[in-house]
Amino acid sequence: MTRRSHFQRLLLLAASTTVIAGGAVLPSSAMAATAAPHTAAVTTVASDHDGHRQHGSPTSAKQWVETTDTASGITFRLPEKPKVEHYTKAKGRASGRFYTVENDHGIVGFLVIDASGAQLNLNDCLLSFVDGYNAESHSSSEVLTSTGVHKTTVNGRPALDARLSAPDGTVGSARFIHDGDHYVVALSLGPKEKEKPMSESYQQLLASIHMPDAGATRAG
């Protein structure tokens, strides 16, 4: 297994844990139903290094893929067509979708959790995510920690930013956003020697996020 594939597996586990944590505080009636898998609309767009769309030849700029999460209407862009992991509503978990791209720099991902009526706060989301990642760490050198945690807002919505790192040189970033009926996580993770290009991709992802509702929400 390559190191990037190792990141991919651990991030999938972390996303699963975050979805389960989100579902744990949903009303019991909401957890009882099973949701059908949602598809996502995917459009390839050309962008420059700042993430701006280009209208010329697609080969003249790096190809980024614009995706709409159908269930929430949230759109975002990733460096290529993402792999999608679906989570359906079941006892003890919410539904959600985890979109990931694995490349030479590491992993960039975008998680959407359907959490209507949930009261989970953003700090709990961060703790659940880190715990999920660390649950399958093989040694203390792989244990992920969060630093530089601070609150911010995204278009009036409460958000939480964190820096991620492990003793083995794994580095990354995460942003948790509460968007009314959804919790959103944007993240990046990779080896320290690839930190600069991974950070650039992560910043482009953050800049591309578009929430369909203009109204601000309040997190618990």
Side-chain angles (χ1 to χ4, degrees):
M1 177 185 294
T2 66
R3 192 175 184 190
R4 292 191 303 277
S5 297
H6 181 60
F7 289 155
Q8 177 85 355
R9 181 178 65 82
L10 292 179
L11 285 178
L12 287 172
L13 290 169
S16 299
T17 303
T18 308
V19 170
I20 292 169
V25 294
L26 286 170
S28 58
S29 59
M31 289 190 292
T34 299
H38 295 285
T39 57
V42 178
T43 304
T44 301
V45 297
S47 66
D48 61 19
H49 66 280
D50 291 320
H52 300 124
R53 292 193 187 190
Q54 299 291 305
H55 300 289
S57 169
T59 61
S60 64
K62 182 177 181 179
Q63 293 294 316
W64 277 63
V65 175
E66 184 173 273
T67 300
T68 299
D69 178 69
T70 307
S72 65
I74 298 170
T75 62
F76 54 94
R77 293 205 287 272
L78 289 169
E80 57 189 71
K81 185 176 180 179
K83 296 178 181 178
V84 187
E85 182 83 7
H86 293 273
Y87 306 96
T88 56
K89 285 183 181 178
K91 185 176 181 180
R93 72 190 299 169
S95 59
R97 282 74 53 200
F98 190 34
Y99 304 84
T100 57
V101 167
E102 177 183 349
N103 57 29
D104 291 340
H105 306 146
I107 306 292
V108 181
F110 193 81
L111 171 64
V112 182
I113 304 171
D114 304 323
S116 178
Q119 297 179 5
L120 186 71
N121 66 38
L122 297 176
N123 281 297
D124 288 340
C125 281
L126 172 59
L127 290 173
S128 296
F129 186 86
V130 172
D131 286 347
Y133 182 97
N134 291 334
E136 295 295 323
S137 296
H138 297 306
S139 69
S140 58
S141 67
E142 294 183 356
V143 172
L144 201 67
T145 58
S146 58
T147 57
V149 180
H150 62 278
K151 294 181 179 180
T152 185
T153 58
V154 177
N155 296 325
R157 296 159 174 82
L160 190 75
D161 282 342
R163 166 86 171 166
L164 306 173
S165 63
D168 66 357
T170 299
V171 295
S173 300
R175 171 169 287 178
F176 298 78
I177 309 169
H178 183 203
D179 184 42
D181 291 338
H182 305 91
Y183 281 88
V184 175
V185 186
L187 61 97
S188 67
L189 202 67
K192 188 172 181 60
E193 59 268 23
K194 300 291 186 179
E195 183 174 10
K196 183 178 179 180
M198 178 56 59
S199 178
E200 291 174 351
S201 292
Y202 176 70
Q203 292 301 323
Q204 288 193 49
L205 167 60
L206 293 186
S208 74
I209 298 170
H210 175 71
M211 308 288 189
D213 248 339
T217 60
R218 295 176 62 107

